[in-house]
Structures are given as structure tokens and as C-alpha cells.
Amino acid sequence: MLDHQVQSLASSSVLCWVATVDAAGQPNVSPKEIFAIFDQTHLVVANIASPTTARNIECNPHVCISFIDVFVQKGFKVKGTARNVGKNAPDFSIWSAPLHDKAGPRFKIQNVIVIQSLEVESILAPSYRLYPDETTEESQMASAMRTYGV
């Protein structure tokens, strides 16, 4: 499910966004900068300072995690179920392993959010669908570079 294409884009993304819902049905979207594809069906996210995300997962494990390449304006949305794995859990070191180098000594991992992927969808800027004959990754990248002043 989390094939090479998804893994490649995730590894080149700087941020991902995790969407959760609280017990009252209120949505929350929170950016995360330390995350990784763990295997073909799991993603892991370091909970550095996200008490709302962690609390929401405890009452409703359904989540959506998205990541995009802001320059080519393509990405993926992964829907699944999440669980919090605390530092005292016997499998914490296994799930947190791919996150330690990214976190380094600067960020303390409070717990690991383990997401089991149930569905993957691509994210594309509307230009790719509305103007497929003239929209390329190169044209999107040039437009983004102008927009961001890069």
C-alpha cells in the first residue's frame, strides 16, 4: 500500500499534516516535521509537542495524514487508524527507530504515533486535471519558485 512512489515522496517532504477528530467531533489538523514510512502499511510520527493530536487519537483512532512536494504540487493522503506508543511500551524502540536521527538531540519524542494505512490517494494541484496538456512538474515548479521567491 505504501509503495515506492509514496515512500519516495514522503522522504522528500519537509512536513506532513495529521488530521484527527476529538470526542465532540471537532477536527484538528496539526503539522509534523518528524515522520517516516515504517513499512508497506505503517507510518510513524514523532509526537514532539502535540497533546491535542495524541488526545484525539485516544478517543478516535481514525486519522488522515497528508504530505506534498510544494514545488511540483503533488503528494499523497493516507487514511488509517492510529495509536500512541509511549516511551514505556515494550515496542517503543522499534517504532521510534526511524525517527531518532531526524529528531536528534534537539527534539524529545513524547510518544510515537503509529498509523496503519487503510487507504492511499494521490493529491494533485487542480492544474494537472484542468489543464493536463500544458501542466508539467517543471511548469508547476517554476510557478512555485516565482510564488515563493526562490
Side-chain angles (χ1 to χ4, degrees):
M1 186 167 283
L2 301 174
D3 63 18
H4 176 72
Q5 189 178 14
V6 176
Q7 292 178 27
S8 177
L9 201 131
S11 69
S12 67
S13 296
V14 176
L15 286 175
C16 71
W17 291 265
V18 177
T20 60
V21 178
D22 69 14
Q26 286 293 99
N28 180 66
V29 176
S30 180
K32 312 292 185 218
E33 64 182 300
I34 301 172
F35 65 98
I37 303 286
F38 186 83
D39 60 24
Q40 292 288 331
T41 57
H42 294 90
L43 297 101
V44 288
V45 179
N47 176 4
I48 303 299
S50 298
T52 302
T53 299
R55 186 173 49 249
N56 286 356
I57 287 169
E58 290 302 319
C59 31
N60 184 343
H62 299 282
V63 299
C64 180
I65 181 170
S66 300
F67 41 90
I68 63 165
D69 179 321
V70 295
F71 293 105
V72 298
Q73 300 172 34
K74 289 182 176 181
F76 290 97
K77 171 172 53 173
V78 179
K79 295 179 184 177
T81 55
R83 64 185 176 99
N84 294 307
V85 177
K87 287 188 246 183
N88 296 328
D91 55 351
F92 177 81
S93 62
I94 295 168
W95 292 113
S96 65
L99 304 172
H100 286 295
D101 285 344
K102 292 180 178 187
R106 187 171 180 179
F107 296 106
K108 184 178 175 186
I109 299 175
Q110 303 298 320
N111 67 297
V112 176
I113 299 166
V114 177
I115 300 169
Q116 181 176 356
S117 173
L118 300 174
E119 181 182 337
V120 177
E121 295 176 38
S122 65
I123 297 172
L124 292 173
S127 297
Y128 285 106
R129 290 189 177 105
L130 296 174
Y131 306 102
D133 295 335
E134 60 192 69
T135 304
T136 63
E137 288 187 359
E138 292 76 20
S139 69
Q140 292 297 89
M141 189 176 285
S143 175
M145 295 287 194
R146 282 190 304 277
T147 299
Y148 295 126
V150 177

